[in-house]
Amino acid sequence: MDEAAIKPYLADAPPTIVKLEIGAHFDGLTDREKLYAHHLSRASHYGTRIILRSVSLESETIYDIILALYDSCKGDWKELQSSSGVSDGDFKAFVEYAAQFMGNLGNYKSFGDSKFVPRLFPESLEKLVAVCPKAKELYQGIKSDDGGIFANTKKSSLMHFGYPDRGLISAYYPDSPDITEEEISYISHFMGDKKLLPENTRLKKLKSGDFELLIASAVLNPPADVRDAGELAEWQLDGKLQGKRLTLVYGDHQEEMAKIALSMKKAAQYAADDLQKTMMEAYAKSFSTGSMAAFLDSQKSWVKDLGPKVESNIGFIESDRDPAGVRSEWEGWVAMVNQERTRAFKALVDSASKMIPKLPWSKDFEKDKFLAPDFTSLEVLTFATSGLPAGINLPNFESIRAVIGFKNVSLGNVLSAKAPNQPIPFIHADDVEAYRKLSDSAFEVQVGIHELLGHGSGKVLQETSPGVLNFDKNNPPTNPLTNKPVQSYYLPGQTYSSVFGNLSSSYEECRAESCAMDLGCDYEILQIFGFGNGQEDLHGTAGDVLWTMYLSMARAGVVALEFWDPKSGKWGQNHMRARYAILQVFLEAGEDFTTLSHSADDLSDLVIRVDRSKILSVGRPAVSRFLQKLHIYKCTADVKAANELYNKYTSVNGFWAEKVRPTVMAKKMPRKVFVQANTVEKDGKVQLKEYEATPEGMIRSFAERDV
């Protein structure tokens, strides 16, 4: 890779660092609630190293180098610089890199899954670590002529996540450079047949060609009666893997899982009621033994735990970063309820049974009964993750969602955190003021619909057990796309994720975002959020919010090209791939509903505009047609048609690849990273410690977190 090729991978200079404000909401808790929150926070953060190991081979070592340098100078970075003799520019570059690294919990961007590297030469980094024996020793372990903390110049594909046999990197398959996509898929299906869930596993291919399934647990040899596989721990494989073995190996991330399980037991001592205590005990059992069945029990209790003062969810949750889309990254979050903002979300929940039938499918493709979830606006105390979302819809297990329900949360202090006066590329000068004024409000509406009515809608047609279907086989639903009876459905043991594989996450995000664009046009929903009187008024406040929501989605579709890699032709971020697809739907709608304009040949003045007068007549119908296809293909397990549709709308070529993307890369803005507070227990009381929104504050918060 030459200098120009490396440029897109350089760390942000400076990174956009914002503070996650939580003091006032934490102070509103009782002493008992603070202790409950504290132990949940510790459990979440103890998973930090698990996240690092799921990113790259070198991430945990880089983390330890940063902490060792901090400890060596006791946080006095100027002293460290003076001792090392590193220039001001190089030292600033390292500290900014370190802050971005901590904010992403690894050296690959949480939003985009591409590597980022420090803006200094290896010689400068070696001078810096030389003043600290521990850092120097650690650096020797990852020092490389190519790669490591720096760019992979000889094999640039390693700068991106993906299947190892495609030349990409995935730490979910450790020490397995020759494991193939086909082998991974085979074992995923094998596990499905054995009813073993993969979320808390990694898969390792041995030199013999056999496989080890690494299961995260505190206990190395759990008793058979608490194992999901019972007494079985090894299988002979068949088919294309005939003669090979799959062995279960417990104790992955053993030290961290033990600390997490203990913290959950401590949290149980301060639970508000028996339901919370049962939930904590199920969590502790799962993290101790590696049982996903116990984890499902924790999630069943979590869904039933309505309106707690302290809300939390912890475990191996989202599978976006696994190329196969089945193994999940550790995350843990703890938050306080914002009662004022929650009122709007509860009103949205109350309206759901009225709003869902407005979506473009019949009741045959919808749950028999909408199980009204808890929907709260939360202020986040702790979120141990590679990247903070704006909203959450959990659990991801359809077996729980269909029977017990789910929860939605909007993360208020994540939504509101921003750096002042950031430029907004691709918005026309005439639109900037209105866009800046209403973009937060529009996004809150979008997130609310996306999480509740997007992820919360739909029914997968399935043979739940041999011969038992969740629809009438003799009178099957009519597919609205063909006007014929449905021809496909999910078989016993299959899930949406297992059938749709690495397509599943982005496809579902696109479906949820499309629901937001469709139902966001409903003025009754806009009224729920405090905009307008429920009547159509394109030029009133409600119309302004609706227009801003559509313009924001269109702009996001342009910006999304930052996360598409022209060399591999691969999308690195699921939400952005979804938004690019929706932009293409807007443009395909025609009638100048959405337009791109520029006067410069290099597109340096490119802007995108949405004609508000055509949102209801042109934009919404186009989205509705697209959404119907997304939904029906998902419900009927028609992954072939889904792939064809989604690849059509997310392919990048010609004008978009050669003209628009270079402009997007030239104008890209650093993504926010969040400085989070710590909690400290002393004499039975919990104190909150907050930090400055600076690179130094970010590093200090992790050093004092001691995980």
Side-chain angles (χ1 to χ4, degrees), residues 69-88:
L69 290 172
Y70 176 91
D71 289 342
S72 72
C73 66
K74 297 180 174 57
D76 186 345
W77 292 104
K78 289 185 179 179
E79 177 190 318
L80 183 66
Q81 181 189 356
S82 176
S83 301
S84 66
V86 172
S87 70
D88 290 348

Short mmCIF file of all heavy atoms in Angstrom, two decimals, residues 69-88:
data_model
loop_
_atom_site.label_atom_id
_atom_site.label_comp_id
_atom_site.label_asym_id
_atom_site.label_seq_id
_atom_site.Cartn_x
_atom_site.Cartn_y
_atom_site.Cartn_z
N LEU A 69 1.80 2.52 29.54
CA LEU A 69 2.37 3.86 29.39
C LEU A 69 1.70 4.85 30.34
O LEU A 69 2.37 5.70 30.93
CB LEU A 69 2.23 4.33 27.94
CG LEU A 69 3.10 3.60 26.92
CD1 LEU A 69 2.74 4.01 25.50
CD2 LEU A 69 4.59 3.87 27.19
N TYR A 70 0.38 4.72 30.50
CA TYR A 70 -0.32 5.59 31.44
C TYR A 70 0.21 5.38 32.86
O TYR A 70 0.51 6.33 33.60
CB TYR A 70 -1.83 5.31 31.40
CG TYR A 70 -2.62 6.10 32.42
CD1 TYR A 70 -3.15 7.34 32.08
CD2 TYR A 70 -2.82 5.62 33.71
CE1 TYR A 70 -3.87 8.09 33.02
CE2 TYR A 70 -3.54 6.35 34.65
CZ TYR A 70 -4.05 7.58 34.29
OH TYR A 70 -4.76 8.32 35.23
N ASP A 71 0.33 4.10 33.25
CA ASP A 71 0.80 3.79 34.61
C ASP A 71 2.23 4.27 34.83
O ASP A 71 2.59 4.74 35.92
CB ASP A 71 0.73 2.28 34.86
CG ASP A 71 -0.70 1.79 34.99
OD1 ASP A 71 -1.61 2.62 35.23
OD2 ASP A 71 -0.92 0.57 34.83
N SER A 72 3.06 4.19 33.78
CA SER A 72 4.48 4.54 33.95
C SER A 72 4.67 6.02 34.25
O SER A 72 5.65 6.40 34.90
CB SER A 72 5.26 4.15 32.69
OG SER A 72 4.96 5.02 31.61
N CYS A 73 3.74 6.85 33.75
CA CYS A 73 3.86 8.29 34.00
C CYS A 73 2.77 8.80 34.92
O CYS A 73 2.62 10.02 35.11
CB CYS A 73 3.85 9.07 32.69
SG CYS A 73 2.29 8.99 31.79
N LYS A 74 1.98 7.87 35.47
CA LYS A 74 0.87 8.21 36.37
C LYS A 74 -0.07 9.25 35.74
O LYS A 74 -0.59 10.14 36.40
CB LYS A 74 1.39 8.69 37.71
CG LYS A 74 2.18 7.63 38.47
CD LYS A 74 2.68 8.14 39.81
CE LYS A 74 3.32 7.03 40.62
NZ LYS A 74 4.43 6.36 39.92
N GLY A 75 -0.26 9.10 34.43
CA GLY A 75 -1.17 9.98 33.73
C GLY A 75 -0.59 11.32 33.34
O GLY A 75 -1.28 12.15 32.74
N ASP A 76 0.68 11.55 33.64
CA ASP A 76 1.33 12.81 33.26
C ASP A 76 1.98 12.62 31.89
O ASP A 76 3.16 12.28 31.76
CB ASP A 76 2.39 13.19 34.30
CG ASP A 76 3.00 14.57 34.04
OD1 ASP A 76 2.82 15.09 32.93
OD2 ASP A 76 3.64 15.11 34.95
N TRP A 77 1.21 12.84 30.84
CA TRP A 77 1.65 12.55 29.49
C TRP A 77 2.81 13.45 29.05
O TRP A 77 3.67 13.03 28.26
CB TRP A 77 0.49 12.67 28.52
CG TRP A 77 -0.55 11.60 28.72
CD1 TRP A 77 -1.76 11.73 29.32
CD2 TRP A 77 -0.44 10.21 28.36
NE1 TRP A 77 -2.42 10.53 29.35
CE2 TRP A 77 -1.63 9.58 28.75
CE3 TRP A 77 0.55 9.46 27.73
CZ2 TRP A 77 -1.86 8.22 28.55
CZ3 TRP A 77 0.32 8.11 27.51
CH2 TRP A 77 -0.86 7.49 27.93
N LYS A 78 2.85 14.66 29.56
CA LYS A 78 3.96 15.55 29.20
C LYS A 78 5.28 15.00 29.70
O LYS A 78 6.32 15.12 29.04
CB LYS A 78 3.71 16.95 29.77
CG LYS A 78 2.58 17.70 29.06
CD LYS A 78 2.45 19.12 29.58
CE LYS A 78 1.34 19.87 28.83
NZ LYS A 78 1.17 21.25 29.33
N GLU A 79 5.24 14.41 30.89
CA GLU A 79 6.46 13.79 31.43
C GLU A 79 6.91 12.63 30.55
O GLU A 79 8.10 12.46 30.27
CB GLU A 79 6.21 13.29 32.86
CG GLU A 79 7.41 12.57 33.48
CD GLU A 79 7.07 11.88 34.78
OE1 GLU A 79 6.34 12.46 35.60
OE2 GLU A 79 7.53 10.73 34.96
N LEU A 80 5.93 11.82 30.10
CA LEU A 80 6.25 10.68 29.24
C LEU A 80 6.85 11.17 27.92
O LEU A 80 7.84 10.61 27.43
CB LEU A 80 4.99 9.86 28.98
CG LEU A 80 5.20 8.58 28.14
CD1 LEU A 80 6.05 7.58 28.89
CD2 LEU A 80 3.85 7.96 27.79
N GLN A 81 6.28 12.22 27.38
CA GLN A 81 6.82 12.75 26.12
C GLN A 81 8.25 13.25 26.30
O GLN A 81 9.13 12.99 25.48
CB GLN A 81 5.95 13.89 25.60
CG GLN A 81 6.47 14.45 24.27
CD GLN A 81 5.75 15.72 23.84
OE1 GLN A 81 4.80 16.16 24.48
NE2 GLN A 81 6.22 16.33 22.75
N SER A 82 8.45 13.97 27.40
CA SER A 82 9.78 14.51 27.67
C SER A 82 10.81 13.39 27.82
O SER A 82 11.93 13.48 27.30
CB SER A 82 9.75 15.37 28.94
OG SER A 82 11.03 15.84 29.27
N SER A 83 10.43 12.33 28.51
CA SER A 83 11.35 11.22 28.73
C SER A 83 11.68 10.48 27.44
O SER A 83 12.78 9.96 27.26
CB SER A 83 10.75 10.23 29.74
OG SER A 83 10.49 10.86 30.98
N SER A 84 10.71 10.43 26.54
CA SER A 84 10.89 9.65 25.31
C SER A 84 11.58 10.44 24.21
O SER A 84 12.16 9.85 23.29
CB SER A 84 9.53 9.17 24.80
OG SER A 84 8.73 10.27 24.38
N GLY A 85 11.48 11.75 24.28
CA GLY A 85 12.06 12.58 23.23
C GLY A 85 11.26 12.59 21.94
O GLY A 85 11.75 13.02 20.89
N VAL A 86 10.02 12.14 22.00
CA VAL A 86 9.15 12.12 20.82
C VAL A 86 8.65 13.53 20.55
O VAL A 86 8.36 14.29 21.47
CB VAL A 86 7.97 11.15 21.05
CG1 VAL A 86 6.95 11.25 19.93
CG2 VAL A 86 8.48 9.72 21.16
N SER A 87 8.53 13.90 19.29
CA SER A 87 8.10 15.25 18.92
C SER A 87 6.66 15.51 19.35
O SER A 87 5.88 14.58 19.60
CB SER A 87 8.20 15.44 17.41
OG SER A 87 7.21 14.66 16.75
N ASP A 88 6.31 16.79 19.43
CA ASP A 88 4.94 17.16 19.81
C ASP A 88 3.92 16.52 18.88
O ASP A 88 2.90 15.99 19.33
CB ASP A 88 4.77 18.69 19.78
CG ASP A 88 5.54 19.39 20.90
OD1 ASP A 88 6.01 18.68 21.82
OD2 ASP A 88 5.65 20.62 20.85
#
